[in-house]
Amino acid sequence: MSTAIHTRALRKSFGELVAVDSLDLDVARGEVFGMLGPNGSGKTTTIRMLCGLMPPTSGEMTVVGIDAVKEPEAVRRRIGYMSQRFGLYDDLTVAENFSFYAGLYGLHGKVKQAREEELFTTLGLSPRRKQLAGTLSGGWKQKLALACATAHRPDLVFLDEPTAGVDPAARR
């Protein structure tokens, strides 16, 4: 099985503060991997580095076969990322948010429509198409953010705090 994520001696510091130190990690393609730890332990910083959103201070990292230090933009095209604070636009509807993100990922026309229908049906978002995202509950925002992050069928999906704001029944 191929490797989805590979890091060696990954480090990120902010001045004197070391957020991630000597991280060696190998995650196989198809594997579900979770990082657990207290607030401030470097989980989000690690995810942001792996997504190509933040360069490491030092170390190596390969994500979906791409050198993420040298080619972060290439990594971003092949992954999906759902942040812990949602990247949704409150003043756009559910459908408009999805269309915006699908367009960023290069989906248009019938391809976009088919993917929207598939995800909205699977996630139960269809009845909320015209609802403003800002009026959604935390759980519905999570579903919409997941649809947006996976619109382009990425090779790898990063979920940062995926159950934050989700009610216990929806977590199951």
Side-chain angles (χ1 to χ4, degrees), residues 35-96:
M35 289 189 286
L36 302 174
N39 291 344
S41 63
K43 299 179 302 291
T44 296
T45 299
T46 299
I47 291 171
R48 293 189 56 157
M49 286 190 292
L50 293 170
C51 289
L53 299 172
M54 173 187 298
T57 304
S58 61
E60 305 171 9
M61 59 181 181
T62 304
V63 178
V64 295
I66 300 166
D67 184 328
V69 176
K70 293 179 182 172
E71 299 182 75
E73 184 59 40
V75 168
R76 288 192 292 271
R77 286 192 297 270
R78 301 263 312 274
I79 64 162
Y81 172 59
M82 190 173 90
S83 74
Q84 61 183 322
R85 290 188 185 84
F86 308 118
L88 304 174
Y89 294 94
D90 288 345
D91 56 342
L92 296 180
T93 66
V94 167
E96 290 168 337

Side-chain angles (χ1 to χ4, degrees), residues 15-167:
E16 297 294 314
L17 174 69
V18 177
V20 177
D21 193 18
S22 302
L23 177 64
D24 292 341
L25 178 65
D26 287 295
V27 179
R29 183 173 175 80
E31 184 175 3
V32 175
F33 180 83
M35 289 189 286
L36 302 174
N39 291 344
S41 63
K43 299 179 302 291
T44 296
T45 299
T46 299
I47 291 171
R48 293 189 56 157
M49 286 190 292
L50 293 170
C51 289
L53 299 172
M54 173 187 298
T57 304
S58 61
E60 305 171 9
M61 59 181 181
T62 304
V63 178
V64 295
I66 300 166
D67 184 328
V69 176
K70 293 179 182 172
E71 299 182 75
E73 184 59 40
V75 168
R76 288 192 292 271
R77 286 192 297 270
R78 301 263 312 274
I79 64 162
Y81 172 59
M82 190 173 90
S83 74
Q84 61 183 322
R85 290 188 185 84
F86 308 118
L88 304 174
Y89 294 94
D90 288 345
D91 56 342
L92 296 180
T93 66
V94 167
E96 290 168 337
N97 266 283
F98 182 82
S99 290
F100 173 76
Y101 281 100
L104 289 178
Y105 291 125
L107 300 179
H108 303 285
K110 290 181 181 178
V111 172
K112 186 213 58 100
Q113 290 172 337
R115 186 64 174 147
E116 179 179 324
E117 191 58 37
E118 177 186 357
L119 285 167
F120 280 29
T121 299
T122 300
L123 297 171
L125 288 166
S126 296
R128 299 179 184 275
R129 272 183 211 281
K130 295 181 181 179
Q131 186 174 344
L132 289 175
T135 66
L136 295 171
S137 69
W140 285 109
K141 284 182 180 179
Q142 285 285 49
K143 289 181 180 192
L144 176 55
L146 181 61
C148 292
T150 59
H152 61 304
R153 298 183 190 276
D155 294 324
L156 179 64
V157 179
F158 289 92
L159 307 174
D160 193 355
E161 299 284 347
T163 60
V166 178
D167 64 85

